[in-house]
Amino acid sequence: MRTVLVTGPGGAGRTTTAAATALAAARQGRRVLLLTSDRGPAPEAVLGVALPAPPVRGDESPAPWAPPVEVAPGLRAARIAVGEHFRDRARELQDRGASLFDLLGATPLDAEELTELPGAEPLAILTALRAAHTGDAPWDLLVVDMPPAPETIRLLALPEQLRRYLRRLLPPERQAARALRPMLAQLAGVPMPAQRLYETAERWEAELAAVQRVIEARSTTVRLVVEPGPVAAEAVSVARAGLALQSCRIDTLVTNRLFPDAAEAPGDTAGSWLAGLVDEQRTALKALREEFLVDAVTVCELPHLGRGPRGAGDLAELAGRARSTAVGGTGIVEGDGLTDELDGWTGPDPDGSVSDEEPDAWSVEDRIATDGVLVWRLPLPGADRDGLDLVRRGDELIVGVGPFRRVLPLPSALRRCTVSGAALRDGALCVRFTPDPGLWPRTS
C-alpha cells in the first residue's frame, strides 16, 4: 500500500493539501483512506463532512481511529483516536504491573482519572500507521495529515529511538535469568514483576519494529507543504534536513496559497497593495523550485482560491488547478499536479518483501588506496554547516542537524577506524575515517 505523510511548517495548509491529494487520487480510481490526528474543527471544515468521535471504552474498535466516513467516491476519512489510545495503553500497563503496585502498596488509577499526557499523539499516530498496514488493507493509498514538520520529524524518529532505549535498559541477554525468578519470588515472599516486564518489552519491540518498517518502506514518502515566503523558506530547509537525517524521502514539495500574477488576474484582483506580497512570494517560489528540482523532487503549485477551501467542491477545484513540475528523462517536464509521485514508489514493504529497491544512499566510499581513508556519505539536503554536530561514541556516530539528532550504528568496516574529519559538500555530510592500525586487518 502506498503511504503519503503530509507535513510542513505550522499554518502552511497541511490539512487542505492532504485532503486535496486524497481526493485527487480517489478521482483517478484509487481507494483512499485519509487519517488526521487534528481534533480541532479544521478537518471537518475542509472536508465538508462531520467526522465521528472515536469509540468510547467498551465499543468494538478494530482500528485505532474512528469509523471512517465517505467524503467522495473512493475516499474515506477518519480521526485517529489519540485520547482513547492513551487510555487503553495506560490501563493495559496498569494491569500488567498489578503485582508491582501490590508490592509497593500503590493504588492504580481508575479509568476516569486517566487523562492524556504530552506525547500521546505521536504514539497514537505510530500505532495507526502500523495498524493500517496490518493484514489485507482495503486501501490503495493511505494519506496521513501529520503534525507540523518539527513534531513529525521527532515522531518518525521515535521507533528507532525507543527500540534503542529498550535494548539498553532491558538487554535480551538478561532474559536468560528468567528461570531464577520463581525461586526469587519464593524467597522474597512476593511475586516478581520482571516476567511481565520483559514480556511487555518484547511486545513493544515487535510493535516498534513493525512501524519502523512502514516508515522506512520505499512505498512511504513525505509530502512537504509550504506557503512561499522568506521565513517559510528557512523553515523548509530545516525540515528537509531533519527528514533526510531520518532517511525519509520527500516525493513532492507543495507550494500552497499562491497569489495570481497581476497579468493573470481579471481586472485589479491582485490589487496594487498586494503587488509587493506577490513579488515576495514569487521570489521565494523561484528559490524553492531551484533547490528541490535540482535533487529531482517534484514541485507542485496550489493556487489561492480567494477563500478557505470548504468541502469536496473546493478541494476538487484546488486539485484541478494544481500545477506541478518534475524532472523527467528529457529534463524539466510538466507533471500531473497532486497525483504526481503516487505511483512508482516500490521496494521493501512492511512484510519484508523487496522490489525495485534503490541503492543505499548512505554509502561508504573506499579511498584507502588513494587517500588512506574511508568516506561515509550521509545525504543531508538543506543542512547548514553551522547547525551540524558530530560525535563518535563507541560503535555509533551521533549526528545533529539543527534541533534534530540521530544515533547511527557504524558499518562494520568503520568500527575499526577513527574519525579523521568531516565536511558538508553538495548537500551531503562526508565523514572521513582512517583505519586504526591496531584493529585493521593486515594484508600479507
Side-chain angles (χ1 to χ4, degrees):
M1 180 172 62
R2 182 76 169 85
T3 302
V4 176
L5 311 177
V6 181
T7 187
R14 303 183 312 277
T15 300
T16 298
T17 301
T21 298
L23 180 62
R27 289 162 67 94
Q28 287 190 343
R30 294 179 177 86
R31 298 168 300 168
V32 186
L33 175 63
L34 171 64
L35 293 180
T36 180
S37 62
D38 188 340
R39 286 171 283 182
E44 292 184 337
V46 168
L47 293 170
V49 297
L51 298 180
V56 297
R57 185 186 182 190
D59 289 354
E60 290 296 325
S61 179
W65 52 74
V69 297
E70 186 176 57
V71 178
L75 170 59
R76 290 184 173 270
R79 289 188 198 272
I80 297 174
V82 177
E84 290 71 15
H85 174 266
F86 173 81
R87 287 187 282 275
D88 287 345
R89 284 303 178 97
R91 286 192 295 266
E92 179 185 5
L93 191 59
Q94 284 196 147
D95 293 342
R96 287 183 171 270
S99 60
L100 178 60
F101 290 133
D102 292 340
L103 177 63
L104 298 176
T107 303
L109 296 171
D110 294 330
E112 295 76 14
E113 298 179 88
L114 295 173
T115 56
E116 286 177 51
L117 296 176
E121 182 179 4
L123 294 177
I125 294 174
L126 291 175
T127 300
L129 279 174
R130 177 176 57 84
H133 290 80
T134 301
D136 297 327
W139 319 105
D140 303 314
L141 172 66
L142 172 67
V143 179
V144 186
D145 174 22
M146 301 289 284
E151 288 86 346
T152 291
I153 295 168
R154 294 187 179 94
L155 180 157
L156 297 176
L158 261 183
E160 181 180 85
Q161 291 174 347
L162 293 178
R163 293 181 71 194
R164 182 172 178 271
Y165 295 160
L166 282 175
R167 288 193 295 269
R168 290 290 296 274
L169 298 174
L170 297 172
E173 54 268 20
R174 288 189 183 177
Q175 300 185 40
R178 281 182 176 178
L180 299 176
R181 289 177 192 137
M183 180 181 66
L184 294 174
Q186 291 181 356
L187 292 175
V190 294
M192 301 298 288
Q195 177 69 23
R196 282 200 167 187
L197 179 64
Y198 276 100
E199 289 175 354
T200 301
E202 288 177 358
R203 184 170 59 83
W204 284 352
E205 162 66 24
E207 291 177 357
L208 290 169
V211 73
Q212 188 173 344
R213 286 195 295 271
V214 173
I215 293 171
E216 294 177 350
R218 280 277 297 155
S219 55
T220 299
T221 59
V222 175
R223 189 153 290 196
L224 195 56
V225 186
V226 61
E227 185 174 353
V231 177
E234 182 177 351
V236 165
S237 293
V238 174
R240 188 184 186 195
L243 290 167
L245 181 62
Q246 301 304 327
S247 303
C248 298
R249 294 168 294 277
I250 299 174
D251 65 31
T252 303
L253 173 73
V254 179
T255 54
N256 193 27
R257 303 192 189 109
L258 297 182
F259 292 110
D261 290 329
E264 298 174 355
D268 193 29
T269 303
S272 58
W273 67 275
L274 275 178
L277 181 59
V278 171
D279 289 342
E280 183 180 73
Q281 190 181 70
R282 294 296 170 182
T283 299
L285 174 62
K286 181 176 182 293
L288 287 169
R289 284 168 53 90
E290 292 173 352
E291 178 184 346
F292 280 80
L293 286 174
V294 74
D295 291 326
V297 177
T298 296
V299 177
C300 182
E301 301 175 16
L302 297 184
H304 201 304
L305 297 182
R307 61 188 183 278
R310 294 292 184 271
D314 281 355
L315 292 176
E317 180 183 352
L318 197 63
R321 293 174 58 185
R323 297 292 179 266
S324 63
T325 307
V327 178
T330 58
I332 305 298
V333 297
E334 183 177 346
D336 297 321
L338 286 170
T339 56
D340 270 346
E341 307 297 340
L342 294 184
D343 296 320
W345 293 82
T346 56
D349 293 321
D351 61 1
S353 61
V354 179
S355 61
D356 299 330
E357 184 177 5
E358 67 177 8
D360 184 10
W362 295 45
S363 57
V364 177
E365 182 181 356
D366 187 347
R367 295 186 188 173
I368 292 180
T370 56
D371 302 322
V373 297
L374 297 170
V375 179
W376 196 13
R377 186 178 183 278
L378 311 178
L380 296 175
D384 178 75
R385 190 184 309 274
D386 295 334
L388 286 174
D389 187 29
L390 196 64
V391 177
R392 167 79 180 268
R393 183 185 179 279
D395 291 338
E396 297 173 329
L397 191 68
I398 304 173
V399 182
V401 180
F404 310 110
R405 289 163 62 86
R406 186 179 183 185
V407 180
L408 300 171
L410 291 173
S412 57
L414 301 184
R415 296 175 186 176
R416 300 188 292 271
C417 303
T418 58
V419 177
S420 55
L424 185 64
R425 296 193 184 97
D426 300 326
L429 177 62
C430 299
V431 188
R432 298 186 300 277
F433 290 81
T434 301
D436 186 334
L439 300 175
W440 195 255
R442 297 182 179 180
T443 56
S444 56

